[in-house]
Amino acid sequence: MAYNYEQMSWSEVRDLFRKWREDNERRSDDIVLLWKRILEDNASKLGNERHLVLEQVIIAAFDCARLDISEKCIRELSQEFPGSLRVQKYKAMKYEAMGRYDEANDVLDDIISKDETNAAPRKRKIAIFKAKGKTCEAIKELCEYLKKFMSDQEAWHELCSLYLSENEYSKAAFCMEEVLLHNPHSHLIHQRLAEIRYTMGGLENIEIAKSYYSQALKLNSCNLRALYGLYLCCNHIINSKASVNKRKEAQKLASYVLSEIQSKSCVGNEKAKNDKYIGSLENAFGNLDLKSN
Amino acid sequence: MALLAFNKLLLVIGFVCLIHAAYSAAQHRTYLRITEQESSFLPFDILLQAITSLFLIIYSLLQVVGDFKEIRAAVDLQGKSWETLSNIPSFYTFNHRGKALSPLYVNPSSGKSSLDSED
């Protein structure tokens, strides 16, 4: 761990929390630890950000099963916003964390009946199915949800991973394409879609995977995983019954990709560095020899 | 930090300079009206002062406000990993081994054995 928790000031912790919040990093254990040690006593200094931090801590506390901390934070929020549906949702999540799913469902249904346009409790209901291990029902519910909230890319992403866990690759690919429409500049989505296509197999899918991997590399030339994926695709095409032209092209691409991988991975650098160290070591030992003589 | 303070000072100087130029221009106009001369052009020094102060403001403002964002759309996403991108907060589930991290956690098997020993 790169952070020295003992010596952090509250403003540093605040910035760290903000970074984690924006990047969607889970890091629940660290959040709970830092909250307990540093931020809890300085919560009043956070200003408007305090509510966001409290929500972050509540979720982290659920993750670490620290229901005492989450209880405290929820109480603080509900004192400030009595009757807020957003705070109600955290109460439902508390039941979820305790494993009392039926009660959680009751609370969520109550929220939905009060505000039909509220997407968050519907998502939690799907998460409950997921937590119970009922993937098929979660998929069904999520499809229903997506009919109402079509532009929710998080939901599309989740549906994709649910389909993947059920080995429904073509449906997963469709979901990933939806996500891709929302962020066409994300190399990771391209890479993911290519991986799904590659897993599906068959020459046609491999060709598609090849073009998605290429696009991912175009967006981020340092994506080593996409480089390896592209190499695998090319190898597959070389060994397949594709036309001679295509095979030749793939051969060229494969050798190019391999050289890229070699230059990107630090094997060469390491060797040069080692040579330098060995050289300097030899120098040092040479001096020793002279002295002992 | 010192550079930022310097740039802020430049910005203030620029604004003062521009306001001064405007004031001088207004005064020049009133002078023309009083002496009833016909001339629509401002004197060269006022024009020069206005333009230099404008450029001074533009430069120092760019320095004070902050760094430019990268124009290529993909650069922001380059540093991201699949780990954070595939993490979807609204679908978190909590029935995982994280429970064992809690100090209040009771191991189900050990709890059973303690009951057994009581018997």
Side-chain angles (χ1 to χ4, degrees), chain A residues 52-272:
Chain A
L52 289 175
V53 171
L54 277 175
E55 286 185 327
Q56 196 179 6
V57 172
I58 290 171
I59 297 201
F62 287 144
D63 249 347
C64 304
R66 293 293 302 268
L67 292 177
D68 48 332
I69 298 173
S70 59
E71 180 72 25
K72 217 166 147 190
C73 296
I74 292 175
R75 208 178 306 135
E76 259 182 67
L77 279 180
S78 58
Q79 264 168 14
E80 227 163 308
F81 307 100
S84 157
L85 294 181
R86 191 158 164 165
V87 179
Q88 286 285 319
K89 189 189 81 185
Y90 288 107
K91 287 184 182 156
M93 280 163 96
K94 191 183 79 191
Y95 286 127
E96 255 179 78
M98 290 156 94
R100 287 149 68 178
Y101 296 120
D102 294 334
E103 286 164 66
N105 258 331
D106 289 344
V107 177
L108 290 172
D109 282 334
D110 195 38
I111 300 174
I112 294 173
S113 66
K114 273 181 195 157
D115 180 6
E116 294 223 345
T117 54
N118 201 341
R122 290 172 199 264
K123 288 190 191 179
R124 290 315 311 167
K125 284 187 80 171
I126 294 158
I128 289 176
F129 278 122
K130 213 176 96 185
K132 282 177 173 170
K134 294 177 177 169
T135 318
C136 287
E137 276 158 67
I139 289 174
K140 215 185 288 168
E141 279 287 312
L142 197 47
C143 288
E144 280 298 311
Y145 168 84
L146 278 171
K147 275 179 195 160
K148 288 174 193 137
F149 303 87
M150 267 170 254
S151 60
D152 188 342
Q153 51 164 319
E154 275 192 339
W156 282 112
H157 205 138
E158 182 65 27
L159 187 59
C160 174
S161 36
L162 285 177
Y163 273 134
L164 282 182
S165 64
E166 291 287 305
N167 292 341
E168 300 252 29
Y169 293 117
S170 54
K171 287 177 184 170
F174 175 80
C175 296
M176 219 54 208
E177 277 162 9
E178 286 288 333
V179 180
L180 187 63
L181 284 180
H182 283 103
N183 8 241
H185 289 299
S186 171
H187 62 109
L188 291 167
I189 307 279
H190 278 98
Q191 176 203 314
R192 187 64 164 182
L193 193 48
E195 277 159 8
I196 294 171
R197 286 282 173 197
Y198 183 84
T199 316
M200 283 164 84
L203 190 58
E204 206 174 305
N205 282 324
I206 302 270
E207 289 272 0
I208 297 172
K210 192 180 123 196
S211 43
Y212 277 121
Y213 273 130
S214 310
Q215 181 67 19
L217 280 172
K218 199 174 159 191
L219 291 169
N220 179 13
S221 56
C222 303
N223 192 341
L224 206 58
R225 197 179 161 106
L227 275 172
Y228 277 116
L230 189 54
Y231 178 67
L232 286 177
C233 286
C234 288
N235 257 356
H236 197 276
I237 292 173
I238 292 167
N239 295 325
S240 71
K241 285 170 187 158
S243 67
V244 183
N245 249 350
K246 266 187 184 168
R247 269 187 285 176
K248 257 190 190 160
E249 208 177 286
Q251 185 108 45
K252 257 191 210 164
L253 191 58
S255 62
Y256 163 75
V257 168
L258 210 55
S259 68
E260 276 291 297
I261 292 173
Q262 251 160 8
S263 68
K264 289 272 170 357
S265 51
C266 52
V267 180
N269 295 343
E270 202 92 326
K271 196 159 175 268

Side-chain angles (χ1 to χ4, degrees), chain A residues 23-26 59 62-66 101 123-124 127 130-131 154 157-158 185-188 192 219-220, chain B residues 73-74 77-78 80-82 84-96 98-99 101-104:
Chain A
D23 289 350
N24 271 353
E25 286 194 54
R26 204 155 176 170
I59 297 201
F62 287 144
D63 249 347
C64 304
R66 293 293 302 268
Y101 296 120
K123 288 190 191 179
R124 290 315 311 167
K130 213 176 96 185
E154 275 192 339
H157 205 138
E158 182 65 27
H185 289 299
S186 171
H187 62 109
L188 291 167
R192 187 64 164 182
L219 291 169
N220 179 13
Chain B
L77 295 161
Q78 246 167 36
K80 288 212 170 180
S81 69
W82 180 253
T84 53
L85 194 75
S86 63
N87 205 9
I88 305 167
S90 43
F91 289 102
Y92 278 170
T93 54
F94 304 117
N95 63 343
H96 50 66
K99 285 192 189 95
L101 291 171
S102 160
L104 312 168

Side-chain angles (χ1 to χ4, degrees), chain B:
Chain B
M1 209 59 208
L3 198 66
L4 187 71
F6 177 67
N7 280 322
K8 275 184 181 164
L9 186 70
L10 275 188
L11 188 64
V12 171
I13 291 172
F15 271 117
V16 169
C17 225
L18 194 65
I19 291 166
H20 181 254
Y23 184 69
S24 327
Q27 219 165 30
H28 180 71
R29 284 280 157 84
T30 34
Y31 170 74
L32 285 183
R33 211 177 303 137
I34 289 166
T35 53
E36 294 184 341
Q37 289 177 22
E38 276 299 316
S39 165
S40 56
F41 290 110
L42 280 174
F44 180 68
D45 57 336
I46 297 178
L47 215 59
L48 187 73
Q49 191 185 352
I51 290 172
T52 30
S53 54
L54 176 69
F55 278 105
L56 188 66
I57 289 172
I58 290 173
Y59 171 77
S60 49
L61 202 62
L62 285 180
Q63 298 296 318
V64 167
V65 165
D67 294 331
F68 282 112
K69 246 186 135 97
E70 185 68 52
I71 198 164
R72 284 169 294 161
V75 171
D76 275 349
L77 295 161
Q78 246 167 36
K80 288 212 170 180
S81 69
W82 180 253
E83 194 63 29
T84 53
L85 194 75
S86 63
N87 205 9
I88 305 167
S90 43
F91 289 102
Y92 278 170
T93 54
F94 304 117
N95 63 343
H96 50 66
R97 59 189 174 174
K99 285 192 189 95
L101 291 171
S102 160
L104 312 168
Y105 178 69
V106 210
N107 192 346
S109 57
S110 70
K112 210 175 179 182
S113 65
S114 69
L115 278 178
D116 287 345
S117 61
E118 271 176 27
D119 290 337

